Amino acid sequence: MSIEKGRAYFRSLGMEDRVMEFDVSSATVELAAEALGVEGARIAKTLSFKTDEGCMLILAAGDARIDNRKYKDKFHNKAKMLSADEVLDMVGHPVGGVCPFGINEGIPVYLDESLKRFKTVFPAVGSASSAIELNLDELFRFSKAAEWIDVCKLPE
């Protein structure tokens, strides 16, 4: 099960005790925010996009949306998300629990600047009822992010 891959990843770092599991779904930003009692913007949602090599992950603030122009300028192709069926096979976690922890090998991970508004954020840990609170340095290190990027827009 995917939560076990996420748990095993944090166990290897001596941090498994920080993984939270809920009796309710946290599969969407709204549900995760409700389960955690935080504002939705602090949910670090993981978006999965097709690439010529397979796929990549971008973590963004819960209230951020991909800006197609910024995305195309950065990656030189159109933003095309993986289908629900492709996500589990290519990334290793199901939709609702996608995260950069315990993923299949060779998937680049990027962190969007929209997350930098917060001291800590809450990404999933591989299931639609899990999360972990990480500061931005921890998120960068533990997600093995390639870099911080600016491909999102925030609500006005």
Side-chain angles (χ1 to χ4, degrees), residues 58-143:
I58 299 175
L59 277 75
D63 61 346
R65 301 287 174 255
I66 291 294
D67 180 309
N68 289 319
R69 170 55 35 210
K70 288 180 178 181
Y71 182 98
K72 191 167 187 176
D73 288 347
K74 173 69 181 166
F75 296 109
H76 310 293
N77 59 22
K78 187 177 179 181
K80 193 167 187 176
M81 294 191 73
L82 298 179
S83 71
D85 290 336
E86 292 170 317
V87 170
L88 183 57
D89 288 340
M90 294 178 81
V91 178
H93 295 304
V95 170
V98 178
C99 66
F101 316 115
I103 58 176
N104 296 336
E105 289 293 315
I107 299 173
V109 175
Y110 299 92
L111 304 181
D112 186 75
E113 299 275 337
S114 60
L115 293 165
K116 287 189 171 181
R117 298 174 287 159
F118 308 105
K119 287 188 181 199
T120 64
V121 294
F122 298 88
V125 186
S127 75
S129 58
S130 66
I132 188 168
E133 183 175 15
L134 299 172
N135 67 42
L136 298 182
D137 180 57
E138 290 173 327
L139 181 65
F140 190 87
R141 276 186 295 144
F142 302 144
S143 68

Side-chain angles (χ1 to χ4, degrees), residues 26 28-41 43:
S26 59
T28 66
V29 168
E30 295 77 19
L31 291 172
E34 189 175 317
L36 288 157
V38 300
E39 64 178 303
I43 304 303

